[in-house]
Amino acid sequence: MSRYVALGSSMAAGPGIRPRATGSPRRAGRSQRNYPHLVAARLGLDLVDVTYSGATTAHILTEPQHGEPPQISALDGTEELVTITIGGNDVGYVPMLAVAGLPHMLRAVPLIGGLLRAQVDRSARDAALRQVGAALETVGREVRARSPHARVCFVDYLTLLPPAGTPAPPLSDADADTGRHIADALERATAEAAAATGCQVVKVAEPSRAHHAWSQDPWTTTTGLPLPGRPAPLHPNAAGMSAVADLVVAQVS
């Protein structure tokens, strides 16, 4: 059976989508119904899923995460397929939206207010976005070097926010616009990194625009508190994971 290694953050891991992947660390938030598991089942591949909630590009390349080695260490050169969904945590994408969903008055509270304002500050997010392209390219180069015979696919992020002009309560229009700006920049950076490193890109953001979290047929969840047995806020739901799996399978088959 051919080997498939899945790398990435919570957008690939699927926190809250039951059941949890057998034997996986609880902190990873790794679902048995995330897109790597669905792709492996559809294509008859031997899956090694090391996706982990909260992962950054550094956690793929060099940094351990909660006792787990850097994700790239799962590659041994025998892989037929490698998928990568990463970058959002480098730029604070979901944390920014999570803060934006909190009551606005909290931004005026001493101490914590400064932290919240920094999280939704567009200039701070832009500074992070200026760095993420190079980090994504490093990921692509290192994965290609370790898995020279594999098909390596960056999988970008499902669309979370509705188009400009469509309300996304409780987010303000300004915060939603910042979120869209981050998402668009991350989508471009992912495609550019793939092109620069000889990898492919599975375009997920574009076909999911009509299935944003506030739509009638959402592939992701809205803001809110994490609840047991439910997909994490501002993350893919089961329908979204299935849709991403369809897109990956269509590209690599």
Side-chain angles (χ1 to χ4, degrees), residues 151-177:
R151 178 175 290 190
V152 180
C153 297
F154 280 93
V155 182
D156 64 19
Y157 284 22
L158 286 166
T159 296
L160 286 169
L161 292 163
T166 301
L171 277 62
S172 69
D173 290 346
D175 287 339
D177 185 61

Side-chain angles (χ1 to χ4, degrees), residues 5-232:
V5 176
L7 312 175
S9 64
S10 55
M11 292 297 190
I17 302 175
R18 289 186 172 179
R20 181 167 62 94
T22 304
S24 64
R26 288 192 178 275
R27 284 184 172 184
R30 201 177 296 152
S31 170
Q32 197 170 302
R33 297 167 64 202
N34 64 14
Y35 83 73
H37 278 78
L38 299 176
V39 168
R42 290 267 298 275
L43 298 180
L45 300 175
D46 182 15
L47 173 65
V48 178
D49 183 358
V50 291
T51 60
Y52 209 111
S53 295
T56 64
T57 53
H59 291 124
I60 286 185
L61 294 168
T62 58
E63 293 185 9
Q65 189 175 9
H66 302 300
E68 298 295 319
Q71 293 182 25
I72 201 167
S73 64
L75 303 176
D76 65 11
T78 66
E79 297 77 30
E80 178 178 293
L81 174 65
V82 180
T83 56
I84 310 165
T85 298
I86 203 70
N89 290 319
D90 292 60
V91 301
Y93 177 36
V94 169
M96 176 265 152
L97 293 177
V99 168
L102 297 173
H104 201 275
M105 68 183 75
L106 292 177
R107 300 182 197 180
V109 175
L111 299 180
I112 191 174
L115 297 174
L116 298 180
R117 291 193 301 273
Q119 193 64 59
V120 297
D121 180 66
R122 185 156 174 162
S123 62
R125 303 283 66 77
D126 279 340
L129 284 166
R130 285 193 290 272
Q131 304 296 320
V132 77
L136 289 168
E137 285 193 23
T138 302
V139 169
R141 282 196 303 271
E142 291 298 319
V143 171
R144 293 291 303 141
R146 291 212 184 197
S147 301
H149 306 297
R151 178 175 290 190
V152 180
C153 297
F154 280 93
V155 182
D156 64 19
Y157 284 22
L158 286 166
T159 296
L160 286 169
L161 292 163
T166 301
L171 277 62
S172 69
D173 290 346
D175 287 339
D177 185 61
T178 297
R180 279 187 287 269
H181 169 69
I182 296 169
D184 291 347
L186 189 58
E187 182 182 353
R188 288 194 301 273
T190 301
E192 290 167 1
T197 57
C199 300
Q200 298 182 22
V201 59
V202 180
K203 294 181 179 294
V204 168
E206 185 173 344
S208 64
R209 298 206 201 284
H211 299 277
H212 59 81
W214 282 262
S215 71
Q216 292 185 341
D217 183 19
W219 288 353
T220 53
T221 56
T222 59
T223 59
L225 295 174
L227 296 174
R230 294 188 182 181

